Amino acid sequence: DPNEDTEWNDILRDFGILLPKDDIEKITKGDLIFCLLFLVKPYERMNLEELKEAENYFDEADRKAIEMYMQQCLQEWKCLQRIQKYGELREICGEQYVKEVTNAPEDVWVIIHLYRSSIPMCLLVNEHLSLRARKFPEVKFLKAIVNSCIQNYYDRYLRTILVYKTGEIKGGFIGAAECGGIYLKVEELEWKLAEVGAIETDLEENPQKDIMNMVKLSVR
């Protein structure tokens, strides 16, 4: 009865399902039917506090539906947490390599840059990877000083970027030429990582395409 002064009617009025008391007399039969239809799955419009306040008014079917709905929300939250788990370029040392790279979760792509801080182009790659880490937070981006992972590694092999998944190397870029040269742009690096499947880029074509076309024209 919408005329009754009950806690349930107050809740319905808070949700806009029932009109204020002063307007009750204006409600038509059509309005009442609409209100009944509007009551279907009201829990989807409630926050946790409101659900707790209203739980005494739900029957067994409602409680089961609410439980399923909350489980769905929990799964969506867990998925979002997993997707946004990383989001930065982290520094590791050689002792952490197996744990962070080889033994990373099977559904996670790992991109690691082996570098020396004394080489400016290595620092440029770190800057680019840091930007891409924020753009692709579902991918684990790492960097490590090469001497902590591989002893006596030749400088000519730097910059070295390795791409892992399920504990295996799925791709890599070794040396300045493979990494894009001294004028490497962040978009070019993103394209390279997308080509090996580590990320899903929104770039429509290879950023180097225009540069390569200009070189061909110059040669001609």
Side-chain angles (χ1 to χ4, degrees), residues 28-42:
T28 66
K29 183 178 180 180
D31 292 328
L32 290 174
I33 293 175
F34 175 78
C35 287
L36 290 173
L37 293 174
F38 196 79
L39 282 171
V40 176
K41 293 186 178 180

Side-chain angles (χ1 to χ4, degrees), residues 118-132:
S118 60
I119 300 178
M121 296 313 302
C122 286
L123 301 181
L124 175 64
V125 169
N126 281 341
E127 290 179 9
H128 289 346
L129 289 176
S130 181
L131 292 173
R132 295 309 87 174

